Amino acid sequence: MGVGLEHFLILSAVLFAIGLYGVLAKKNAVVILMSIEIMLSAVNIAMVAFSRYSQSITGQVFVIFIMVVAAAEAAVGLALIIAIYRRRKTVDAEKFDLMKW
Amino acid sequence: MGLDIAFWILAVVCVGAALAVVLLRNIFRAALFLVLCFFTVAGIYVALGADFLAGAQVLIYVGAIGVLIIFAIMLTRESRQGSPSGRLRLPALLIGLLFLVTMVFVVVGTDWSVVAEIPTEPTTSAIAQALFSGEEGFVLAFEIAAALILAAIIGAIVLVREK
């Protein structure tokens, strides 16, 4: 049995689950951002696989937009982490409680 | 046949690198494994016949986001503390496994209607046509993406600027 759409979708699901675990379990905010990037890559793989196996280019166009948003998100997220680190000398996500009440 | 072998190698390396990102305690090594994971995702795009996206993946993810994350790690100097897991480790594992089982169940159980024969051809001009072709194109979304990038750059500069 050759590699088909299901293989790519399951690979995408595995990557997304790993990223989900990292986002929920990790304390370091930079590692949380890295896990978010893994989740975005997983979604991109699913999009490209659907685009390939349905002969429609729209999926690849969406991947371009996801890449744009991911780059913007990484830039702003890391800037936020550096700004918080300057004030509080930590990047531990469990200690970010400025907006709790 | 060659494509199958390439897929399995890429998939195993990709999942292994992603696991290393969330399991390693040394955060700098985790970042390097993230870069490896991005590289293998580019390889998977090639296996799927998406040549333009593979190039964009290497340029944007490996080049830009990889360097950005390594910079952030060095600027925040948390590497001696590593990346420990928080209180939610077991619930997170449970939720991740639950999601994975659900997705595998759905993907295997669905009868996908796929196109039978698949010719591989360059996708760059096809993507450009889809992006910029008048009525049913994505020109508006493209312009909004440009505005979003500008806003993100200005926001990042404002956030990290010294008072």
Side-chain angles (χ1 to χ4, degrees), chain A residues 26-64:
Chain A
K26 286 299 179 178
K27 281 168 87 173
N28 190 316
V30 181
V31 179
I32 291 177
L33 263 182
M34 285 157 66
S35 304
I36 291 174
E37 297 297 336
I38 292 178
M39 287 164 84
L40 285 164
S41 288
V43 174
N44 281 351
I45 290 174
M47 288 267 189
V48 179
F50 278 126
S51 157
R52 164 87 159 148
Y53 286 95
S54 64
Q55 285 298 307
S56 157
I57 203 73
T58 314
Q60 301 199 14
V61 175
F62 267 79
V63 170
I64 290 177

Side-chain angles (χ1 to χ4, degrees), chain A residues 2-3 8 11 16 21 24-28 34 37 44 52-53 55 57 60 64 67 70 78 85-86 91 94, chain B residues 4 7 22 27 30-31 44-45 48 57 61 72 76 78 83-87 89 92 99 115 118 130 160:
Chain A
V3 168
F8 288 101
L11 170 66
F16 195 92
Y21 167 77
L24 293 176
K26 286 299 179 178
K27 281 168 87 173
N28 190 316
M34 285 157 66
E37 297 297 336
N44 281 351
R52 164 87 159 148
Y53 286 95
Q55 285 298 307
I57 203 73
Q60 301 199 14
I64 290 177
M67 278 182 179
L78 291 172
Y85 178 75
R86 279 214 190 115
V91 289
E94 290 181 357
Chain B
D4 291 10
F7 169 79
V22 295
I27 178 171
I44 289 165
Y45 289 167
L48 282 165
Q57 169 86 11
Y61 277 92
T76 52
E78 286 278 296
S83 81
S85 294
R87 291 187 303 262
R89 187 161 185 272
F99 173 83
V115 180
I118 308 152
V160 297

Side-chain angles (χ1 to χ4, degrees), chain B residues 17-63:
Chain B
L19 277 174
V21 171
V22 295
L23 294 181
L24 278 183
R25 294 191 69 85
N26 184 326
I27 178 171
F28 189 76
R29 283 189 194 158
L32 293 182
F33 271 106
L34 184 72
V35 170
L36 176 65
C37 183
F38 287 158
F39 253 123
T40 52
V41 170
I44 289 165
Y45 289 167
V46 172
L48 282 165
D51 51 353
F52 178 78
L53 287 179
Q57 169 86 11
V58 172
L59 285 177
I60 295 175
Y61 277 92
V62 179

Side-chain angles (χ1 to χ4, degrees), chain B residues 41-128:
Chain B
V41 170
I44 289 165
Y45 289 167
V46 172
L48 282 165
D51 51 353
F52 178 78
L53 287 179
Q57 169 86 11
V58 172
L59 285 177
I60 295 175
Y61 277 92
V62 179
I65 294 182
V67 171
L68 208 60
I69 284 174
I70 289 173
F71 255 118
I73 288 170
M74 291 177 164
L75 284 174
T76 52
R77 267 191 249 106
E78 286 278 296
S79 43
R80 60 197 125 71
Q81 289 183 18
S83 81
S85 294
R87 291 187 303 262
L88 287 172
R89 187 161 185 272
L90 274 179
L93 196 64
L94 210 65
I95 290 172
L97 282 177
L98 199 68
F99 173 83
L100 182 61
V101 170
T102 315
M103 285 304 287
V104 170
F105 187 72
V106 170
V107 167
V108 173
T110 309
D111 186 23
W112 301 103
S113 66
V114 296
V115 180
E117 50 78 51
I118 308 152
T120 319
E121 49 197 27
T123 55
T124 312
S125 62
I127 288 175

Side-chain angles (χ1 to χ4, degrees), chain B residues 7-21:
Chain B
F7 169 79
W8 286 113
I9 293 173
L10 286 169
V12 168
V13 174
C14 188
V15 170
L19 277 174
V21 171

